[in-house]
PDB file of all heavy atoms in Angstrom:
ATOM      1  N   SER A   1      -1.927 -17.165 -14.497  1.00  0.00           N
ATOM      2  CA  SER A   1      -1.670 -17.005 -15.945  1.00  0.00           C
ATOM      3  C   SER A   1      -2.109 -15.765 -16.612  1.00  0.00           C
ATOM      4  O   SER A   1      -1.934 -15.599 -17.815  1.00  0.00           O
ATOM      5  CB  SER A   1      -2.548 -18.251 -16.566  1.00  0.00           C
ATOM      6  OG  SER A   1      -3.907 -18.060 -16.346  1.00  0.00           O
ATOM      7  N   ILE A   2      -2.522 -14.766 -15.775  1.00  0.00           N
ATOM      8  CA  ILE A   2      -2.951 -13.493 -16.395  1.00  0.00           C
ATOM      9  C   ILE A   2      -2.069 -12.289 -15.909  1.00  0.00           C
ATOM     10  O   ILE A   2      -2.429 -11.221 -16.013  1.00  0.00           O
ATOM     11  CB  ILE A   2      -4.424 -13.128 -16.062  1.00  0.00           C
ATOM     12  CG1 ILE A   2      -4.615 -13.070 -14.527  1.00  0.00           C
ATOM     13  CG2 ILE A   2      -5.352 -14.164 -16.624  1.00  0.00           C
ATOM     14  CD1 ILE A   2      -5.975 -12.563 -14.095  1.00  0.00           C
ATOM     15  N   PHE A   3      -0.833 -12.628 -15.462  1.00  0.00           N
ATOM     16  CA  PHE A   3       0.073 -11.613 -14.977  1.00  0.00           C
ATOM     17  C   PHE A   3       0.287 -10.473 -16.032  1.00  0.00           C
ATOM     18  O   PHE A   3       0.174  -9.349 -15.644  1.00  0.00           O
ATOM     19  CB  PHE A   3       1.400 -12.226 -14.719  1.00  0.00           C
ATOM     20  CG  PHE A   3       2.438 -11.208 -14.145  1.00  0.00           C
ATOM     21  CD1 PHE A   3       2.436 -10.897 -12.811  1.00  0.00           C
ATOM     22  CD2 PHE A   3       3.378 -10.714 -15.064  1.00  0.00           C
ATOM     23  CE1 PHE A   3       3.352  -9.970 -12.381  1.00  0.00           C
ATOM     24  CE2 PHE A   3       4.311  -9.782 -14.646  1.00  0.00           C
ATOM     25  CZ  PHE A   3       4.246  -9.390 -13.237  1.00  0.00           C
ATOM     26  N   SER A   4       0.493 -10.822 -17.267  1.00  0.00           N
ATOM     27  CA  SER A   4       0.857  -9.868 -18.256  1.00  0.00           C
ATOM     28  C   SER A   4      -0.212  -8.868 -18.614  1.00  0.00           C
ATOM     29  O   SER A   4       0.084  -7.759 -19.112  1.00  0.00           O
ATOM     30  CB  SER A   4       1.262 -10.564 -19.580  1.00  0.00           C
ATOM     31  OG  SER A   4       0.134 -11.258 -20.104  1.00  0.00           O
ATOM     32  N   ILE A   5      -1.465  -9.170 -18.234  1.00  0.00           N
ATOM     33  CA  ILE A   5      -2.570  -8.311 -18.409  1.00  0.00           C
ATOM     34  C   ILE A   5      -3.131  -7.630 -17.245  1.00  0.00           C
ATOM     35  O   ILE A   5      -4.142  -7.000 -17.173  1.00  0.00           O
ATOM     36  CB  ILE A   5      -3.749  -8.932 -19.301  1.00  0.00           C
ATOM     37  CG1 ILE A   5      -4.318 -10.053 -18.532  1.00  0.00           C
ATOM     38  CG2 ILE A   5      -3.239  -9.329 -20.677  1.00  0.00           C
ATOM     39  CD1 ILE A   5      -5.491 -10.632 -19.201  1.00  0.00           C
ATOM     40  N   SER A   6      -2.445  -7.808 -16.093  1.00  0.00           N
ATOM     41  CA  SER A   6      -2.852  -7.308 -14.804  1.00  0.00           C
ATOM     42  C   SER A   6      -1.953  -6.193 -14.352  1.00  0.00           C
ATOM     43  O   SER A   6      -0.717  -6.242 -14.490  1.00  0.00           O
ATOM     44  CB  SER A   6      -2.891  -8.429 -13.913  1.00  0.00           C
ATOM     45  OG  SER A   6      -3.260  -7.922 -12.515  1.00  0.00           O
ATOM     46  N   ALA A   7      -2.569  -5.146 -13.718  1.00  0.00           N
ATOM     47  CA  ALA A   7      -1.728  -4.157 -12.973  1.00  0.00           C
ATOM     48  C   ALA A   7      -1.223  -4.915 -11.787  1.00  0.00           C
ATOM     49  O   ALA A   7      -1.720  -5.918 -11.298  1.00  0.00           O
ATOM     50  CB  ALA A   7      -2.643  -3.018 -12.579  1.00  0.00           C
ATOM     51  N   MET A   8      -0.102  -4.456 -11.233  1.00  0.00           N
ATOM     52  CA  MET A   8       0.536  -4.991 -10.053  1.00  0.00           C
ATOM     53  C   MET A   8       0.906  -3.829  -9.114  1.00  0.00           C
ATOM     54  O   MET A   8       1.196  -2.697  -9.556  1.00  0.00           O
ATOM     55  CB  MET A   8       1.804  -5.791 -10.390  1.00  0.00           C
ATOM     56  CG  MET A   8       1.536  -7.046 -11.267  1.00  0.00           C
ATOM     57  SD  MET A   8       0.546  -8.352 -10.377  1.00  0.00           S
ATOM     58  CE  MET A   8       1.597  -8.744  -8.996  1.00  0.00           C
ATOM     59  N   ALA A   9       0.910  -4.085  -7.840  1.00  0.00           N
ATOM     60  CA  ALA A   9       1.214  -2.994  -6.851  1.00  0.00           C
ATOM     61  C   ALA A   9       2.022  -3.498  -5.718  1.00  0.00           C
ATOM     62  O   ALA A   9       2.099  -4.759  -5.371  1.00  0.00           O
ATOM     63  CB  ALA A   9      -0.032  -2.438  -6.361  1.00  0.00           C
ATOM     64  N   TRP A  10       2.723  -2.566  -5.077  1.00  0.00           N
ATOM     65  CA  TRP A  10       3.425  -2.819  -3.765  1.00  0.00           C
ATOM     66  C   TRP A  10       2.809  -2.002  -2.720  1.00  0.00           C
ATOM     67  O   TRP A  10       2.550  -0.807  -2.956  1.00  0.00           O
ATOM     68  CB  TRP A  10       4.892  -2.554  -3.888  1.00  0.00           C
ATOM     69  CG  TRP A  10       5.708  -3.515  -4.692  1.00  0.00           C
ATOM     70  CD1 TRP A  10       6.077  -3.400  -6.002  1.00  0.00           C
ATOM     71  CD2 TRP A  10       6.283  -4.713  -4.066  1.00  0.00           C
ATOM     72  NE1 TRP A  10       6.841  -4.576  -6.253  1.00  0.00           N
ATOM     73  CE2 TRP A  10       6.976  -5.353  -5.203  1.00  0.00           C
ATOM     74  CE3 TRP A  10       6.203  -5.355  -2.848  1.00  0.00           C
ATOM     75  CZ2 TRP A  10       7.623  -6.537  -5.037  1.00  0.00           C
ATOM     76  CZ3 TRP A  10       6.916  -6.578  -2.681  1.00  0.00           C
ATOM     77  CH2 TRP A  10       7.572  -7.171  -3.819  1.00  0.00           C
ATOM     78  N   TYR A  11       2.413  -2.640  -1.591  1.00  0.00           N
ATOM     79  CA  TYR A  11       1.972  -1.917  -0.427  1.00  0.00           C
ATOM     80  C   TYR A  11       2.941  -2.113   0.640  1.00  0.00           C
ATOM     81  O   TYR A  11       3.822  -2.988   0.692  1.00  0.00           O
ATOM     82  CB  TYR A  11       0.549  -2.438   0.004  1.00  0.00           C
ATOM     83  CG  TYR A  11      -0.512  -2.053  -0.866  1.00  0.00           C
ATOM     84  CD1 TYR A  11      -0.768  -2.636  -2.081  1.00  0.00           C
ATOM     85  CD2 TYR A  11      -1.438  -1.011  -0.492  1.00  0.00           C
ATOM     86  CE1 TYR A  11      -1.922  -2.294  -2.863  1.00  0.00           C
ATOM     87  CE2 TYR A  11      -2.502  -0.681  -1.139  1.00  0.00           C
ATOM     88  CZ  TYR A  11      -2.683  -1.290  -2.409  1.00  0.00           C
ATOM     89  OH  TYR A  11      -3.886  -0.910  -3.131  1.00  0.00           O
ATOM     90  N   ARG A  12       2.838  -1.283   1.818  1.00  0.00           N
ATOM     91  CA  ARG A  12       3.641  -1.573   3.008  1.00  0.00           C
ATOM     92  C   ARG A  12       2.799  -1.285   4.211  1.00  0.00           C
ATOM     93  O   ARG A  12       1.899  -0.500   4.122  1.00  0.00           O
ATOM     94  CB  ARG A  12       4.926  -0.740   2.967  1.00  0.00           C
ATOM     95  CG  ARG A  12       4.798   0.727   3.051  1.00  0.00           C
ATOM     96  CD  ARG A  12       6.119   1.376   2.846  1.00  0.00           C
ATOM     97  NE  ARG A  12       6.037   2.836   3.125  1.00  0.00           N
ATOM     98  CZ  ARG A  12       7.015   3.663   2.867  1.00  0.00           C
ATOM     99  NH1 ARG A  12       8.197   3.257   2.571  1.00  0.00           N
ATOM    100  NH2 ARG A  12       6.835   4.998   3.042  1.00  0.00           N
ATOM    101  N   GLN A  13       3.161  -1.884   5.337  1.00  0.00           N
ATOM    102  CA  GLN A  13       2.428  -1.617   6.574  1.00  0.00           C
ATOM    103  C   GLN A  13       3.421  -1.721   7.700  1.00  0.00           C
ATOM    104  O   GLN A  13       4.182  -2.708   7.982  1.00  0.00           O
ATOM    105  CB  GLN A  13       1.334  -2.599   6.850  1.00  0.00           C
ATOM    106  CG  GLN A  13       0.545  -2.358   8.042  1.00  0.00           C
ATOM    107  CD  GLN A  13      -0.760  -3.124   8.023  1.00  0.00           C
ATOM    108  OE1 GLN A  13      -0.899  -4.184   7.512  1.00  0.00           O
ATOM    109  NE2 GLN A  13      -1.745  -2.619   8.827  1.00  0.00           N
ATOM    110  N   ALA A  14       3.570  -0.624   8.435  1.00  0.00           N
ATOM    111  CA  ALA A  14       4.454  -0.546   9.638  1.00  0.00           C
ATOM    112  C   ALA A  14       3.559  -0.817  10.861  1.00  0.00           C
ATOM    113  O   ALA A  14       2.372  -0.648  10.827  1.00  0.00           O
ATOM    114  CB  ALA A  14       5.121   0.824   9.666  1.00  0.00           C
ATOM    115  N   PRO A  15       4.187  -1.321  11.910  1.00  0.00           N
ATOM    116  CA  PRO A  15       3.367  -1.560  13.129  1.00  0.00           C
ATOM    117  C   PRO A  15       2.631  -0.322  13.638  1.00  0.00           C
ATOM    118  O   PRO A  15       3.214   0.795  13.757  1.00  0.00           O
ATOM    119  CB  PRO A  15       4.523  -1.995  14.166  1.00  0.00           C
ATOM    120  CG  PRO A  15       5.617  -2.481  13.366  1.00  0.00           C
ATOM    121  CD  PRO A  15       5.592  -1.682  12.118  1.00  0.00           C
ATOM    122  N   GLY A  16       1.387  -0.541  13.952  1.00  0.00           N
ATOM    123  CA  GLY A  16       0.524   0.521  14.448  1.00  0.00           C
ATOM    124  C   GLY A  16      -0.025   1.440  13.394  1.00  0.00           C
ATOM    125  O   GLY A  16      -0.601   2.481  13.738  1.00  0.00           O
ATOM    126  N   LYS A  17       0.337   1.189  12.127  1.00  0.00           N
ATOM    127  CA  LYS A  17      -0.092   2.114  11.069  1.00  0.00           C
ATOM    128  C   LYS A  17      -0.872   1.379  10.026  1.00  0.00           C
ATOM    129  O   LYS A  17      -0.839   0.160   9.920  1.00  0.00           O
ATOM    130  CB  LYS A  17       1.197   2.700  10.322  1.00  0.00           C
ATOM    131  CG  LYS A  17       2.026   3.690  11.281  1.00  0.00           C
ATOM    132  CD  LYS A  17       3.071   4.356  10.433  1.00  0.00           C
ATOM    133  CE  LYS A  17       3.844   5.278  11.438  1.00  0.00           C
ATOM    134  NZ  LYS A  17       4.934   5.964  10.619  1.00  0.00           N
ATOM    135  N   GLN A  18      -1.685   2.124   9.132  1.00  0.00           N
ATOM    136  CA  GLN A  18      -2.438   1.509   8.174  1.00  0.00           C
ATOM    137  C   GLN A  18      -1.641   1.127   6.953  1.00  0.00           C
ATOM    138  O   GLN A  18      -0.484   1.715   6.704  1.00  0.00           O
ATOM    139  CB  GLN A  18      -3.535   2.556   7.744  1.00  0.00           C
ATOM    140  CG  GLN A  18      -4.615   2.873   8.736  1.00  0.00           C
ATOM    141  CD  GLN A  18      -5.728   3.636   8.139  1.00  0.00           C
ATOM    142  OE1 GLN A  18      -5.630   4.200   7.126  1.00  0.00           O
ATOM    143  NE2 GLN A  18      -6.855   3.721   8.892  1.00  0.00           N
ATOM    144  N   ARG A  19      -2.119   0.141   6.300  1.00  0.00           N
ATOM    145  CA  ARG A  19      -1.419  -0.301   5.070  1.00  0.00           C
ATOM    146  C   ARG A  19      -1.536   0.903   4.027  1.00  0.00           C
ATOM    147  O   ARG A  19      -2.521   1.539   3.881  1.00  0.00           O
ATOM    148  CB  ARG A  19      -2.147  -1.522   4.438  1.00  0.00           C
ATOM    149  CG  ARG A  19      -1.518  -2.026   3.166  1.00  0.00           C
ATOM    150  CD  ARG A  19      -2.401  -3.166   2.626  1.00  0.00           C
ATOM    151  NE  ARG A  19      -3.711  -2.680   2.228  1.00  0.00           N
ATOM    152  CZ  ARG A  19      -4.741  -3.440   1.881  1.00  0.00           C
ATOM    153  NH1 ARG A  19      -4.575  -4.797   1.875  1.00  0.00           N
ATOM    154  NH2 ARG A  19      -5.922  -2.925   1.555  1.00  0.00           N
ATOM    155  N   GLU A  20      -0.434   1.134   3.378  1.00  0.00           N
ATOM    156  CA  GLU A  20      -0.318   2.246   2.402  1.00  0.00           C
ATOM    157  C   GLU A  20       0.206   1.762   1.081  1.00  0.00           C
ATOM    158  O   GLU A  20       1.120   0.883   0.994  1.00  0.00           O
ATOM    159  CB  GLU A  20       0.529   3.344   2.931  1.00  0.00           C
ATOM    160  CG  GLU A  20       1.935   3.111   3.107  1.00  0.00           C
ATOM    161  CD  GLU A  20       2.685   4.364   3.520  1.00  0.00           C
ATOM    162  OE1 GLU A  20       2.198   5.460   3.342  1.00  0.00           O
ATOM    163  OE2 GLU A  20       3.828   4.206   3.913  1.00  0.00           O
ATOM    164  N   LEU A  21      -0.303   2.312  -0.068  1.00  0.00           N
ATOM    165  CA  LEU A  21       0.177   2.008  -1.341  1.00  0.00           C
ATOM    166  C   LEU A  21       1.464   2.674  -1.536  1.00  0.00           C
ATOM    167  O   LEU A  21       1.687   3.814  -1.305  1.00  0.00           O
ATOM    168  CB  LEU A  21      -0.848   2.497  -2.389  1.00  0.00           C
ATOM    169  CG  LEU A  21      -0.546   2.246  -3.842  1.00  0.00           C
ATOM    170  CD1 LEU A  21      -0.438   0.661  -4.185  1.00  0.00           C
ATOM    171  CD2 LEU A  21      -1.576   2.930  -4.716  1.00  0.00           C
ATOM    172  N   VAL A  22       2.472   1.912  -2.043  1.00  0.00           N
ATOM    173  CA  VAL A  22       3.761   2.448  -2.349  1.00  0.00           C
ATOM    174  C   VAL A  22       3.952   2.748  -3.839  1.00  0.00           C
ATOM    175  O   VAL A  22       4.432   3.806  -4.228  1.00  0.00           O
ATOM    176  CB  VAL A  22       4.947   1.423  -1.887  1.00  0.00           C
ATOM    177  CG1 VAL A  22       6.288   1.919  -2.257  1.00  0.00           C
ATOM    178  CG2 VAL A  22       4.772   1.187  -0.396  1.00  0.00           C
ATOM    179  N   ALA A  23       3.585   1.828  -4.645  1.00  0.00           N
ATOM    180  CA  ALA A  23       3.744   1.866  -6.178  1.00  0.00           C
ATOM    181  C   ALA A  23       2.837   0.974  -6.869  1.00  0.00           C
ATOM    182  O   ALA A  23       2.430  -0.087  -6.446  1.00  0.00           O
ATOM    183  CB  ALA A  23       5.219   1.628  -6.616  1.00  0.00           C
ATOM    184  N   VAL A  24       2.458   1.419  -8.086  1.00  0.00           N
ATOM    185  CA  VAL A  24       1.623   0.668  -8.976  1.00  0.00           C
ATOM    186  C   VAL A  24       2.241   0.632 -10.408  1.00  0.00           C
ATOM    187  O   VAL A  24       2.809   1.687 -10.833  1.00  0.00           O
ATOM    188  CB  VAL A  24       0.284   1.265  -9.044  1.00  0.00           C
ATOM    189  CG1 VAL A  24      -0.596   0.483 -10.130  1.00  0.00           C
ATOM    190  CG2 VAL A  24      -0.512   1.197  -7.752  1.00  0.00           C
ATOM    191  N   ILE A  25       2.141  -0.505 -11.105  1.00  0.00           N
ATOM    192  CA  ILE A  25       2.511  -0.562 -12.469  1.00  0.00           C
ATOM    193  C   ILE A  25       1.441  -1.141 -13.197  1.00  0.00           C
ATOM    194  O   ILE A  25       0.908  -2.229 -12.807  1.00  0.00           O
ATOM    195  CB  ILE A  25       3.895  -1.301 -12.679  1.00  0.00           C
ATOM    196  CG1 ILE A  25       4.352  -1.240 -14.143  1.00  0.00           C
ATOM    197  CG2 ILE A  25       3.768  -2.766 -12.123  1.00  0.00           C
ATOM    198  CD1 ILE A  25       5.757  -1.664 -14.327  1.00  0.00           C
ATOM    199  N   THR A  26       0.986  -0.614 -14.342  1.00  0.00           N
ATOM    200  CA  THR A  26      -0.164  -1.111 -15.133  1.00  0.00           C
ATOM    201  C   THR A  26       0.469  -2.098 -16.012  1.00  0.00           C
ATOM    202  O   THR A  26       1.572  -2.394 -16.187  1.00  0.00           O
ATOM    203  CB  THR A  26      -0.741  -0.050 -15.924  1.00  0.00           C
ATOM    204  OG1 THR A  26       0.137   0.428 -16.994  1.00  0.00           O
ATOM    205  CG2 THR A  26      -1.176   1.216 -15.029  1.00  0.00           C
ATOM    206  N   SER A  27      -0.569  -2.773 -16.747  1.00  0.00           N
ATOM    207  CA  SER A  27      -0.187  -3.826 -17.699  1.00  0.00           C
ATOM    208  C   SER A  27       0.647  -3.190 -18.859  1.00  0.00           C
ATOM    209  O   SER A  27       1.447  -3.972 -19.519  1.00  0.00           O
ATOM    210  CB  SER A  27      -1.364  -4.510 -18.258  1.00  0.00           C
ATOM    211  OG  SER A  27      -2.303  -3.578 -18.869  1.00  0.00           O
ATOM    212  N   GLY A  28       0.449  -1.927 -19.146  1.00  0.00           N
ATOM    213  CA  GLY A  28       1.184  -1.177 -20.170  1.00  0.00           C
ATOM    214  C   GLY A  28       2.522  -0.579 -19.548  1.00  0.00           C
ATOM    215  O   GLY A  28       3.126   0.180 -20.316  1.00  0.00           O
ATOM    216  N   ALA A  29       2.814  -0.850 -18.252  1.00  0.00           N
ATOM    217  CA  ALA A  29       4.020  -0.476 -17.735  1.00  0.00           C
ATOM    218  C   ALA A  29       4.064   0.974 -17.235  1.00  0.00           C
ATOM    219  O   ALA A  29       5.106   1.577 -16.956  1.00  0.00           O
ATOM    220  CB  ALA A  29       5.233  -0.713 -18.545  1.00  0.00           C
TER     221      ALA A  29
END
């Protein structure tokens, strides 16, 4: 219920590699 006031992010992980941040969007877009 707090989606609109939360930042959101996309990460990705390839086999044998560390998870990495792809993109972030803040509550203010």
Side-chain angles (χ1 to χ4, degrees):
S1 61
I2 61 170
F3 178 85
S4 64
I5 59 172
S6 177
M8 297 294 296
W10 286 96
Y11 287 78
R12 67 185 181 186
Q13 187 167 23
K17 296 186 177 181
Q18 292 188 346
R19 181 185 65 188
E20 65 175 345
L21 180 64
V22 177
V24 176
I25 185 165
T26 70
S27 60

